[in-house]
């Protein structure tokens, strides 16, 4: 994704410093994004990608909206809370 961001940034005619200032990060972090450093937050990567127009999910327009609705429908089927699993008491392990 870093290479795509770099390519899109060049197409916009922006320097790393230009893009970094637009999304509120340092030029050093921008460089880390473009080189694929695993230490950069995913939010910063997504912000950079969105700002230069990199397609994040391989979908656009109505296809993206449809995928979002499907995800929301799936989440609606999940329980509101997850129950804590019942565990066996260790004190009874040796009881005959």
């Amino acid at each position: 994704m870093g290479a795509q961001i770099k390519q899109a940034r060049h197409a916009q005619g922006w320097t790393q410093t230009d893009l970094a200032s637009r999304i509120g990060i340092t030029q050093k972090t921008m460089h880390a994004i473009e080189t694929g450093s695993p230490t950069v937050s995913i939010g910063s990567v997504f912000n950079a990608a969105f700002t230069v127009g990199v397609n994040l999910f391989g979908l656009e327009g109505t296809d993206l909206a449809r995928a979002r609705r499907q995800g929301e429908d799936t989440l609606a089927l999940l329980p509101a809370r997850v129950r804590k699993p019942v565990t066996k008491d260790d004190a009874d392990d040796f009881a005959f």
Side-chain angles (χ1 to χ4, degrees):
M1 183 172 284
Q4 292 175 329
I5 292 169
K6 183 176 183 176
Q7 183 180 13
R9 177 179 60 78
H10 280 288
Q12 297 282 344
W14 297 341
T15 65
Q16 282 185 344
T17 305
D18 293 335
L19 181 54
S21 67
R22 288 174 188 263
I23 62 175
I25 61 173
T26 66
Q27 184 276 331
K28 183 177 177 180
T29 302
M30 190 65 245
H31 177 75
I33 289 171
E34 290 184 352
T35 58
S37 174
T39 61
V40 180
S41 76
I42 193 69
S44 294
V45 176
F46 280 2
N47 283 338
F50 177 78
T51 302
V52 294
V54 171
N55 190 342
L56 295 173
F57 302 104
L59 301 172
E60 293 183 27
T62 58
D63 292 333
L64 181 58
R66 186 178 312 110
R68 180 180 176 198
R69 280 192 304 274
Q70 287 174 338
E72 289 170 348
D73 291 345
T74 301
L75 288 175
L77 297 174
L78 297 175
R81 63 185 177 121
V82 178
R83 294 188 180 125
K84 188 174 180 179
V86 177
T87 58
K88 188 175 179 180
D89 187 10
D90 292 337
D92 293 335
D93 282 351
F94 297 106
F96 292 102

